[in-house]
Amino acid sequence: MSALRTLRTRHRPTTLRRTIVALLVSILAVLCLAIGAITHLSMRAQLSEQLDQQLARAAERAGTAQPTGQDGANSQPGRSGQLPSSGSGSPSDEDGPGPGEFELTAIVDGGRVTEATYRDASGAAVPVADADDLAEALDHADWHHGTDVDLEGLGGYRITTSRAPDGTEVVTGLPLAPMRATLARLDLTLALASLLALLVAAVAGSAVVRRTLAPLEGVARVASDVASMPLDSGSVVLAERAPPVTGRSGREVDDVSRALNRLLDNVEGALEVRQASEERMRRFIADASHELRTPLTSIRGYTEMLRLTEDLTERGAQSVDRLDAQSRRMTSLVEDLLLLARLDEGAPRADGEVDLGEIVVESVLDAQVTAPGHRWELEVPDDPQPVLGDERQLAQVVVNLVSNARKHTPEGTTVHVALAREGGDVVLRVADDGPGIDPELAGEVFTRFTRADRARSGEERTTGLGLPIVRAIAEAHGGTIGVESRPGRTVFEVRLPAAV
């Protein structure tokens, strides 16, 4: 169950509001990423260009410096093995500009680093602890044209080479740490600004989208309410309407609201026409059924009088018997139509407390007499099973279900009639082991004038009103009826609210 619930949660549809906000935040995130990348590359290019300019000036200073030995006399850097120091007239004098902080200077003689120093934070020259690491790094770098190298213990440097007046090769380097720190701060600033922008866009966008789509949510609510209304029968009034439009016809939400309101107006008009037609048909059936009762009663009376007063031939007697049978069938049909019309109109009935168990027992006993070829099984509790309703109509429910099982099953069929109390309902089940209902007619057995003779065997002709009357009576008493059928098993179930 938990796995099924998780699967349903994963496939839960996303609302339009969330989709729009997600798209807005996604687009903004892509823009922030593009702007950040462009800004980073532009700033890196600018800082790299500035570093190259500083490195070029530092290399120029290192190449033109005139170093002095320990005795103050001029000496050649390549021969003395000493880097330029701050002697008289050198660029590192205290009264003139000297080397920059952490500036690296090395002398290369014959591919070997003979001496290397860098300036610390105070400007003092500090020898490089391991010149071999510097030489190895220089061997793997195209440092003649300016490149970036990582020196153990010193970090990243951009280095280049220049030649002193005596031809000695001097390597000059500037640290990359300031440029990298600046880029790191820039990236952090851009990331924080982008996150803040995304947060503001998500909150503000959600509020704006919620406010914009509020009328659409009202339209969806109205459509859902109308969809849940029973529109198949009875008088239906569609009082729900979409929220009024704002007057700006260019807004899609307003267009949807107007379209829904026009649709509801059309549907309401169609329902009114349908209701008026149903009422006219119902009145016609009721009036026709009522008017037909008198002539049918007269026909049956005259038929009986002919049988008693006239000396009829054998063929004449057969004709009178046939006439009497057809008049009785017509009378039954008219009575059923009149009952359905009264039930549709909600005519008042004589409600009272009725013991449904007693009615079931009497109906099954009668069926045993009229259909001895069937096997009848009865299951009724000893205690009374009271329901509130019209006794005559409730009796017709039981009789029609029992008669339906008798008429549409062959002899030898077992019919099981059971009555039970389930919760607050009294449940009547009529089951048989006959051939079952044709699947094509299973959904129409409670429709008026549906004939199931071709689905279930039987010799008696039916009008197709028995089961519709059962459903109408059950629903009028606040109950329900259902059917389950397959070859060898058909069950009709009626549920009625118990009286106590």
Side-chain angles (χ1 to χ4, degrees), residues 238-249:
L238 301 179
E240 293 284 347
R241 288 295 184 274
V245 298
T246 60
R248 291 175 285 179
S249 59

Side-chain angles (χ1 to χ4, degrees), residues 291-308:
E291 293 298 327
L292 286 174
R293 296 174 70 183
T294 300
L296 286 173
T297 302
S298 299
I299 292 174
R300 292 179 59 187
Y302 281 111
T303 302
E304 187 66 23
M305 185 179 65
L306 282 174
R307 184 183 292 113
L308 296 176

Side-chain angles (χ1 to χ4, degrees), residues 288-365:
S289 301
H290 183 73
E291 293 298 327
L292 286 174
R293 296 174 70 183
T294 300
L296 286 173
T297 302
S298 299
I299 292 174
R300 292 179 59 187
Y302 281 111
T303 302
E304 187 66 23
M305 185 179 65
L306 282 174
R307 184 183 292 113
L308 296 176
T309 60
E310 300 295 333
D311 186 13
L312 301 175
T313 64
E314 181 179 355
R315 185 166 184 176
Q318 292 177 353
S319 299
V320 170
D321 292 340
R322 186 65 178 169
L323 180 62
D324 182 65
Q326 293 299 322
S327 63
R328 290 179 183 277
R329 184 168 180 269
M330 186 65 180
T331 301
S332 177
L333 175 62
V334 169
E335 293 292 342
D336 289 344
L337 289 174
L338 186 58
L339 176 60
L340 285 173
R342 289 175 177 174
L343 290 173
D344 290 339
E345 292 177 352
R349 59 178 184 267
D351 285 347
E353 190 172 297
V354 180
D355 183 7
L356 196 60
E358 183 179 350
I359 295 177
V360 171
V361 172
E362 293 177 355
S363 300
V364 173
L365 291 177

